Amino acid sequence: MNLYEQQQANRRKTWLVMLVFVAFFLFLGFGFDAFYLGAGRGAFPIASTIALGVGSVSAAVSYFSGDRAVLLSTAARPLEELQASATDADRLTLRQLENVVDEMAIASGLPRPKVYVVPDADPNAFATGRDPAHASLAVTRGLLDTLDREELQGVVAHEMSHIRNLDVRVMTIVAALAGAVALLADWAQRGMTWGGGRRRDRDDDRGGGAAGIILFAVWLVAILIAPLVAQLLAMMVSRRREYLADASGAELTRNPMGLARALEKIDAAAGPTPIVNRGTAHLCIADPLGRPMNLREGAVANLFASHPPMAARIEALRAMAFERRQP
Amino acid sequence: MALLVLLAVVALLAVWIIASYNRLVSMRNQTLNGWRQIDVQLKRRHDLIPNLVNAVRGSMDFERDTLTAVMEARAKALTAAGPADAAQKEGQLSQALGRLLAVAENYPTLKSNDNVKMLQEELSGTENKVGFARQFYNDIATSFNTAQQVFPANLFAAAFGFKPAELFEITTAAERDAPVVDLSRH
């Protein structure tokens, strides 16, 4: 697939997973309302509403202040501050970063994000901020030391694409849904320990019949595995957004091989970037935890990874550059 | 009844034309803005060139032809008017600069000089910015043109005074070739 087809496919798949996620939440929520609270047809779904409300509030908090939190926790320093006290050789490196970010801002038609450097020797980069006007882009010192200009441009283009594709917003919605599902699962488990019998009586009173019992059984299984499924769906969205950012980044630079080479180098140097915490993993160029499952291509191992396997990403970029290796 | 249906159809048509008109206006403004962004980057490049030429002049005195070519191309580029003209003259300037940078590679004193390295970075940064501004402009200008040319917008776009935007493109075959650098003279 060329880069435009890849972008479309990834957008479509994001929405598909999101739809499944919403449907899953609604099934759990309405089931909870019906089986636990005995809400009849057409009654207001109290539990679903509260769960989604609480999930949204906590997601909204990180939506508005998450960027400051992550920049603080990674000890990221603003580029201007570093430039003021840099040696001659370092000034050149920093100026190059500044230019590359400017170039990608121009190519994407967005305002230039605030630029930060994280004092970490592992090559990695992330973007954060709720919209293009409030965006920040950070690269590690290791990234600046490892990559040449063209490769750095590829990585910055990937991060600018996260900003342009509003991935912070996408992942906030995902976090709200995941939070709501986790709450429902928690309530259901508490409910089972005290007073699990009540709802079955009520069900019988209403005369739900065999279909009702089967539905209840399915719901019960669903709520038991809900936290796992929510995590699975969230990571599915995250991986789609990574592929999408790769493809959009290639559209900005029109040079997919720059990013492909950068990913190869990052993969070769892959150590964990412990300074970046888990909450920001999905906005990094490479999984900051360096989880080994990202390096394997096993289907099961990759289900819970925030990033697709490097080899698959590089292969997709090669396809964009029409340099796919023959099998 | 027939009158009501007719009225509804006319109202829908009016709403649709207004919406298309507004969309075209906003696309036209984006295109104009895209063009101004190229201008900003071109100006940056024009301002940077005298500095670069001065920085390398001492060490590259016998490359006078290359240096003069850059300054002349710059002077010409300053007089450019409109996308097509600018594209051609800026293309020549890019070529002259490319030749200068390639030739400068042969001077070890220049290559190790921090100031020159910084200037080279500035220059490649500026070249890239011009290129990306141009890429962005061409992309939005193309979608603006497409929006005017698709049916049924093509029926009224011209009547409202919308004109296809000129693309910033390479116009002569000579520019399309990479600059030829002869390294055998040194």
Side-chain angles (χ1 to χ4, degrees), chain A residues 139-207:
Chain A
V139 302
T140 62
R141 187 49 87 165
L143 191 85
L144 293 178
D145 293 341
T146 315
L147 302 185
D148 67 24
R149 198 180 198 285
E150 215 174 305
E151 294 155 358
L152 180 67
Q153 198 182 48
V155 171
V156 170
H158 172 101
E159 297 307 331
M160 276 309 284
S161 300
H162 274 310
I163 297 170
R164 186 165 70 141
N165 295 334
L166 299 175
D167 282 346
V168 170
R169 204 166 293 179
V170 172
M171 293 313 288
T172 301
I173 297 171
V174 168
L177 281 168
V181 166
L183 266 180
L184 284 173
D186 189 48
W187 291 342
Q189 263 163 21
R190 277 167 209 271
M192 276 169 215
T193 51
W194 40 264
R198 258 184 335 177
R199 90 215 143 229
R200 187 129 351 113
D201 300 342
R202 242 181 239 171
D203 215 25
D204 285 345
D205 291 344
R206 282 211 310 276

Side-chain angles (χ1 to χ4, degrees), chain B residues 7-30:
Chain B
L7 227 74
V9 168
V10 169
L12 268 176
L13 209 66
V15 167
W16 175 78
I17 288 180
I18 291 171
S20 316
Y21 176 81
N22 288 346
R23 198 167 85 91
L24 284 176
V25 169
S26 89
M27 288 182 91
R28 181 172 59 196
N29 288 340
Q30 274 177 14

Side-chain angles (χ1 to χ4, degrees), chain B residues 7-118:
Chain B
L7 227 74
V9 168
V10 169
L12 268 176
L13 209 66
V15 167
W16 175 78
I17 288 180
I18 291 171
S20 316
Y21 176 81
N22 288 346
R23 198 167 85 91
L24 284 176
V25 169
S26 89
M27 288 182 91
R28 181 172 59 196
N29 288 340
Q30 274 177 14
T31 309
L32 285 176
N33 184 45
W35 172 250
R36 277 194 289 273
Q37 290 309 311
I38 304 183
D39 247 9
V40 170
Q41 298 311 326
L42 289 177
K43 169 126 193 359
R44 267 178 50 98
R45 174 159 83 163
H46 299 153
D47 294 346
L48 197 70
I49 288 168
N51 287 337
L52 179 80
V53 170
N54 282 336
V56 297
R57 178 167 282 154
S59 324
M60 294 176 63
D61 210 21
F62 42 92
E63 296 285 349
R64 200 156 268 155
D65 289 353
T66 317
L67 294 175
T68 319
V70 170
M71 290 312 282
E72 272 172 7
R74 172 184 180 267
K76 270 197 203 134
L78 285 175
T79 66
D85 191 29
Q88 197 213 340
K89 287 175 174 162
E90 293 294 341
Q92 277 161 6
L93 178 55
S94 290
Q95 256 187 312
L97 280 172
R99 211 171 299 130
L100 174 62
L101 283 180
V103 169
E105 286 290 302
N106 297 328
Y107 294 83
T109 46
L110 278 181
K111 266 169 75 180
S112 59
N113 182 326
D114 273 339
N115 280 332
V116 174
K117 271 200 237 162
M118 190 63 125

